């Protein structure tokens, strides 16, 4: 066996250097400033789109009101005038579908003749038809 006392391992913490921490902080600050610039640009662009949509909506509402008032005026003008009534009978066009009275079908005459002078039926003989 090995004789001797066990020794605990030596743990040495070596973190990032001061230069590494400064570079990381600078990169983080640069990232935050870029994000702020992008966010403000996006907000201004979005606000411009909202303003344009609101203006188009207002224009559309104004146009609709103008058309509605013009339609109401035209409807009022039509109601004060007399209606023109004209009735005339004309010939049916060639492609018109017309109806006709129902006609009976002509059925062909049957050739089957059953003789009235058939022999009388007896028990078990079946159908007796004279030939």
């Amino acid at each position: 066996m090995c004789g001797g006392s066990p020794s605990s391992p030596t743990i040495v913490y070596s973190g990032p250097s001061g230069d590494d921490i400064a570079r990381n902080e600078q990169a983080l600050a640069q990232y935050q400033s870029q994000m702020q610039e992008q966010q403000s640009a996006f907000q201004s662009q979005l606000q411009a789109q909202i303003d344009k949509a609101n203006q188009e909506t207002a224009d559309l509402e104004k146009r609709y009101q103008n058309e509605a008032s013009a339609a109401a005026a035209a409807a009022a003008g039509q109601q004060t005038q007399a209606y023109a009534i004209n009735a005339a009978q004309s010939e049916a066009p060639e492609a018109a579908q017309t109806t006709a009275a129902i006609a009976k079908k002509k059925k062909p005459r049957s050739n089957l003749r059953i003789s009235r002078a058939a022999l009388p039926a007896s028990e078990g003989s079946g159908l007796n038809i004279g030939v």
Side-chain angles (χ1 to χ4, degrees):
M1 284 207 89
C2 229
S5 65
S7 63
S8 61
T10 319
I11 299 174
V12 176
Y13 175 74
S14 61
S17 66
D19 293 337
D20 291 340
I21 293 172
R23 279 194 304 267
N24 286 342
E25 288 177 355
Q26 183 183 7
L28 182 60
Q30 183 182 5
Y31 174 74
Q32 287 176 345
S33 67
Q34 287 175 350
M35 289 302 296
Q36 187 67 26
E37 289 172 8
Q38 287 177 356
Q39 187 176 10
S40 65
F42 174 74
Q43 285 177 348
S44 64
Q45 182 184 14
L46 184 61
Q47 188 61 45
Q49 288 177 353
I50 290 171
D51 294 340
K52 182 179 176 186
N54 288 339
Q55 182 62 37
E56 288 176 0
T57 303
D59 293 342
L60 187 62
E61 287 176 355
K62 185 176 180 181
R63 192 176 84 194
Y64 173 73
Q65 289 173 354
N66 291 341
E67 288 178 3
S69 63
Q78 286 179 353
Q79 290 175 357
T80 60
Q81 297 174 356
Y83 290 104
I85 299 172
N86 185 8
Q89 186 172 357
S90 60
E91 295 294 323
E94 292 180 22
Q97 295 181 353
T98 58
T99 58
I102 298 173
K104 287 190 171 184
K105 290 185 178 179
K106 294 182 180 179
K107 296 181 182 178
R109 297 190 68 175
S110 175
N111 292 335
L112 177 63
R113 300 280 183 232
I114 298 176
S115 173
R116 294 183 187 265
L119 298 173
S122 61
E123 238 178 84
S125 64
L127 182 62
N128 289 325
I129 299 177
V131 183

